[in-house]
Amino acid sequence: MRLFRRHRDRRAATSVNPVGPAGSAAQAAPARPVEEVDLDSLLALVADTLGYGCSFEPGGATLTLSGPRTIEVRLTGLRAEARRRSREDWPVLVSGHLSHALATADEPFDACDLAQAGPLLGTRVRFDDGLDDGLVVGRHLAADLVEVLTVGHGAAERPVRPEEAGCWPVTAAQALELAAGNAGGGRSSVTEADLGGVAVLSLDGAGAAACLRRLDEHLPLPADGALVALTGPATVVVHPVEGIGVVRAIERLRLFAQREFERRDDALSPHVYWWHDGGLALVRADLIAQDGQVRLVVAPPPEFARVIAALAVRSDAETPER
């Protein structure tokens, strides 16, 4: 990239010690990888556009921004993230990292320090519609739902950026498990409700949706799992899969989830999911208008379809002959 050439050449020229007083050449300092020199040049350029000068710590692990204020910025995670991306992504990555460092400089914790951030880690479920996966750390719960790693609490809670998690001595998956453990310690309540003749359980509490991977630790669920509607980050509505009445429950939950999604600003999804063995699968149920009426066309995932078929056979066997 020609943009970095002048800075890279000047820095490379100063990486070798000058000739010693006795006339013999001093030992050359280890040459830094060209990629790191280029990244440093880009960091300096972006810092300048933000109105800051910068100086790098000798090992390259941090830089200090100086200008309207003095801020130390960790670079370990940024360098790791840059190695995973193409050079074309670097300008946006670096600009986002420095802008984020400036925006969060007054936080009472250092998100790049796991000792400080660990107890503040949590997870939130997001509908994967326009979610920029490059700016968050997370994993899919279902095809359209992402469990996002967060740090902070209350109004100060925010998603963790990949460059921050890249500074930690644990993997992103291990950090998510740590966050799930934090969420598991929160208080929640369970209430019974009725949706048009279908019995449901409502799990309510801060971060209730974050407990989806361990739902059976919060509710008594049968071996065939449960239907789930996510009406908000603090509410999960559940119908245990125990009989053929599950077919009617899909309809009731789908209509309920759609209404809540249209009504609430914090609603997560208009869909219904099948929870089983710690995982979620979308139960596709489309509302189709035809001849002035709205019909629900259900297409369950194959494994759940087999469960429904088995429940139907069991129901027929239990029905007494007339």
Side-chain angles (χ1 to χ4, degrees):
M1 298 178 67
R2 185 168 297 178
L3 174 66
F4 306 144
R5 181 69 61 186
R6 184 176 57 184
H7 297 280
R8 184 179 66 195
D9 290 346
R10 183 167 63 244
R11 186 163 297 188
T14 60
S15 66
V16 179
N17 292 330
V19 176
S24 60
Q27 184 178 5
R32 297 184 64 204
V34 171
E35 291 77 10
E36 288 198 9
V37 176
D38 286 349
L39 188 65
D40 287 355
S41 298
L42 182 56
L43 281 161
L45 180 63
V46 172
D48 183 64
T49 63
L50 293 173
Y52 286 82
C54 68
S55 58
F56 293 85
E57 178 266 341
T62 64
L63 70 79
T64 299
L65 295 175
S66 55
R69 58 194 308 186
T70 300
I71 299 171
E72 185 178 273
V73 182
R74 300 193 189 225
L75 300 178
T76 302
L78 175 69
R79 295 193 191 283
E81 190 67 17
R83 286 192 292 270
R84 287 191 289 268
R85 300 197 187 192
S86 67
R87 281 176 173 255
E88 287 73 17
D89 294 335
W90 284 11
V92 173
L93 177 65
V94 169
S95 178
H97 185 65
L98 292 186
S99 297
H100 177 73
L102 292 171
T104 59
D106 293 326
E107 286 182 336
F109 57 87
D110 182 356
C112 291
D113 183 350
L114 186 60
Q116 296 183 45
L120 301 176
L121 293 180
T123 60
R124 286 293 177 265
V125 179
R126 296 275 300 274
F127 194 50
D128 191 12
D129 182 12
L131 180 67
D132 190 343
D133 295 338
L135 297 180
V136 299
V137 177
R139 57 188 172 185
H140 277 87
L141 286 169
D144 59 347
L145 293 177
V146 177
E147 182 183 25
V148 175
L149 185 66
T150 63
V151 65
H153 51 80
E157 182 186 74
R158 63 168 177 81
V160 173
R161 289 179 66 97
E163 313 96 89
E164 294 173 321
C167 293
W168 302 338
V170 298
T171 65
Q174 291 170 327
L176 282 162
E177 288 302 318
L178 174 60
N182 291 344
R187 294 183 177 181
S188 59
S189 61
V190 179
T191 56
E192 297 181 357
D194 180 271
L195 289 180
V198 173
V200 296
L201 300 172
S202 180
L203 176 65
D204 298 280
C211 301
L212 286 171
R213 291 188 183 273
R214 303 175 181 179
L215 194 59
D216 54 345
E217 296 180 8
H218 300 268
L219 297 171
L221 298 180
D224 289 329
L227 295 175
V228 171
L230 307 173
T231 57
T235 304
V236 179
V237 179
V238 178
H239 174 78
V241 178
E242 297 177 306
I244 195 57
V246 69
V247 176
R248 186 182 183 192
I250 293 173
E251 176 188 3
R252 293 291 185 268
L253 277 173
R254 175 67 174 88
L255 294 173
F256 173 70
Q258 184 68 42
R259 287 197 301 270
E260 292 297 294
F261 189 75
E262 295 172 353
R263 182 181 70 87
R264 296 177 52 162
D265 292 335
D266 63 345
L268 292 176
S269 171
H271 301 302
V272 177
Y273 302 86
W274 177 46
W275 185 94
H276 187 249
D277 288 342
L280 285 180
L282 173 65
V283 180
R284 185 164 295 283
D286 297 322
L287 299 170
I288 298 178
Q290 187 176 25
D291 299 329
Q293 294 183 336
V294 176
R295 296 188 304 114
L296 189 70
V297 179
V298 179
E303 187 177 355
F304 188 43
R306 289 190 287 271
V307 169
I308 295 175
L311 291 173
V313 171
R314 189 186 313 165
S315 177
D316 291 342
E318 293 173 353
T319 301
E321 295 183 2
R322 293 182 179 179

